[in-house]
Amino acid sequence: MKLLYHFSEESNIKLFKPRVKHNRQDMPPVVWAIDQEHEHTFYFPRNCPRIVYRRNEGISAEDNLKFFGITNADTVITVENHWYETIMNTTTYRYSMPAESFKLFDKTAGYYISEHEITPTEIKPINNLLKRQVDLGIDVRFTTNLSPLREALRHSTVSDFGIHRFENARTVCEIPEISNS
């Protein structure tokens, strides 16, 4: 049986009710879940902007070097520097979801949706979020701004990538200037 989860910083959700997602206003109200293979993409604070990309067949040698460099990791997650402390101090809760009423929404991202109310079967606190990524062999990278990476991926041969909560990312004008004095 497929294991499905929902992640939240709230520790006491007893019932998940379908709702319209903030960035999917064109969809009916649903409950979202993620499969076990992709759960690591939610080992972050809810509003933390991040870009997740994976090595894929068809990636050009140039893009492989550009995006993966000398790492042998197949997955890279990049977040903005100013989120470091929040990530280190966040506990997120993994809710186990009964898979019966969910249907696959996005195979690449591991997203499932249900139009029904869902009672979770288990709640587990998840701490040490960065250590969990490292233990999985994922490269976690930090940058001052995600915009250049987003644009580079959009124009690359990397086909397996996800951009999470980008509306919370810094814009170019928000990057502090470095003084040469």
Side-chain angles (χ1 to χ4, degrees):
M1 179 192 286
K2 191 77 142 160
L3 296 175
L4 299 179
Y5 306 110
H6 184 95
F7 286 83
S8 176
E9 289 173 41
E10 295 179 40
S11 63
N12 59 353
I13 302 173
K14 303 294 184 213
L15 181 69
F16 287 87
K17 295 182 180 184
R19 62 183 177 87
V20 175
K21 193 172 177 192
H22 77 284
N23 64 340
R24 302 270 187 177
Q25 298 291 315
D26 58 326
M27 289 181 57
V30 294
V31 174
W32 290 84
I34 190 147
D35 64 22
Q36 185 177 31
E37 178 185 351
H38 297 90
E39 75 174 287
H40 66 273
T41 64
F42 287 88
Y43 291 166
F44 291 93
R46 176 180 178 81
N47 289 318
C48 177
R50 58 203 177 272
I51 297 177
V52 180
Y53 58 94
R54 292 176 188 84
R55 203 180 306 266
N56 57 269
E57 287 188 31
I59 188 173
S60 70
E62 178 183 346
D63 283 344
N64 190 49
L65 182 60
K66 178 192 255 182
F67 295 104
F68 293 93
I70 58 172
T71 184
N72 63 359
D74 288 329
T75 303
V76 175
I77 301 176
T78 306
V79 297
E80 291 178 328
N81 296 340
H82 64 277
W83 279 90
Y84 178 79
E85 289 296 327
T86 304
I87 294 167
M88 293 303 291
N89 295 311
T90 295
T91 297
T92 190
Y93 296 87
R94 185 179 74 186
Y95 290 83
S96 298
M97 309 297 265
E100 296 80 26
S101 70
F102 284 91
K103 63 182 179 183
L104 182 63
F105 177 78
D106 182 333
K107 182 178 181 180
T108 301
Y111 292 141
Y112 288 75
I113 57 173
S114 175
E115 296 178 357
H116 304 283
E117 291 184 346
I118 304 292
T119 302
T121 58
E122 181 183 31
I123 302 168
K124 179 180 179 184
I126 306 289
N127 298 304
N128 303 315
L129 302 176
L130 289 179
K131 182 177 181 333
R132 289 177 177 275
Q133 301 287 3
V134 170
D135 289 348
L136 291 170
I138 295 169
D139 271 13
V140 179
R141 300 177 181 177
F142 288 87
T143 186
T144 57
N145 186 282
L146 288 172
S147 293
L149 176 59
R150 180 179 77 161
E151 291 311 306
L153 282 166
R154 286 180 166 174
H155 298 95
S156 75
T157 57
V158 177
S159 60
D160 188 353
F161 67 91
I163 301 170
H164 301 260
R165 298 288 177 164
F166 195 77
E167 68 275 12
N168 298 327
R170 287 187 165 169
T171 60
V172 174
C173 63
E174 292 177 301
I175 299 172
E177 289 187 33
I178 298 173
S179 172
N180 289 332
S181 42

